[in-house]
Amino acid sequence: MERVPQPAAGPIDAYVDGLTSVLRGPGRTRAEMITEARHSLEDAAAAHSDAGLSELEAERRAVAEFGSLRAVAPAYQAELAAQQGRRTATWIALALPLVNVLAPLMWWDSPWGVDEHATHLYWVLVDHFKYTSFVAAGVAALVVLGFSWGSRYLRDGVRYTRVVGLAAVTFLGLHALLGAAVFGLSLYQWPAAATWPPVIFGMAVNLGAFAYAGLLSVRCVQFAVHARAA
């Protein structure tokens, strides 16, 4: 069966495809930016067409007025990086307090007393994990303000995003090690915790929250680096 040749992409389609290929960032925000760019190009092309230009020339004029990819992409990429940084900080600010508030439910109605066989080191680690979680959540909340209200004072939003991402990756790695130490000591002191459903479910929730926060933080760094290279 003979293949029907596809029509060549017009200037607007080619431009939007190029913009799509070079931008990296949160999927929804990226899609909204690209859609907005397409609508702006199509509106400009329609205005030129109404003024008497052919469809092809109208699209070429609209693309030329919009700016080259080299000129336009960095601003888009910087905004995507900032959006990722804001998302990362928001998740940390909300998830860490929630995980700590719900943590006592892991031991609710357990067949052993939590105070039984608990060492002083265990309570030191638990308190440190809890307090650093709330402090980190407070710092993350301030970071969110930096991305919103404070953005007007930031000279280099991309650098700010990269610093936030690196700080989040470092903190989450150290905090995860502390959490693992608390959990390991818990199993050592109360071996039955390894088969206690609330503990298993709670650990799954904790691991999921930390893994997602880690993924957001790594992408925060990646998108900031991509913005710098754009």
Side-chain angles (χ1 to χ4, degrees), residues 25-30 32 79-95 140 143-144 147 161 164 168 212-213 215-217 219-220 223:
R28 179 177 298 180
T29 304
R30 177 171 168 267
E32 290 175 352
E79 176 58 29
L80 287 170
Q83 180 64 28
Q84 182 65 30
R86 187 183 299 112
R87 177 180 296 184
T88 301
T90 300
W91 176 259
I92 292 175
L94 295 177
V143 169
V144 174
F147 277 113
T161 301
V164 168
Y212 185 63
L215 177 62
L216 290 176
S217 302
R219 287 181 175 176
C220 190
F223 297 157

Side-chain angles (χ1 to χ4, degrees), residues 50 90 111 149 162 177 208 213 221-222:
D50 292 340
T90 300
W149 177 81
R162 183 172 180 270
L177 290 176
V221 177
Q222 291 176 336

Side-chain angles (χ1 to χ4, degrees), residues 71-133:
V72 170
Y76 278 103
Q77 189 59 57
E79 176 58 29
L80 287 170
Q83 180 64 28
Q84 182 65 30
R86 187 183 299 112
R87 177 180 296 184
T88 301
T90 300
W91 176 259
I92 292 175
L94 295 177
L96 283 181
L98 184 61
V99 165
N100 278 272
V101 169
L102 296 179
L105 295 178
M106 296 170 61
W107 312 99
W108 179 69
D109 201 28
S110 61
W112 65 90
V114 177
D115 291 332
E116 295 178 5
H117 311 297
T119 64
H120 175 69
L121 175 62
Y122 173 78
W123 291 118
V124 169
L125 293 177
V126 168
D127 288 342
H128 188 68
F129 185 86
K130 178 169 60 177
Y131 296 143
T132 53
S133 294

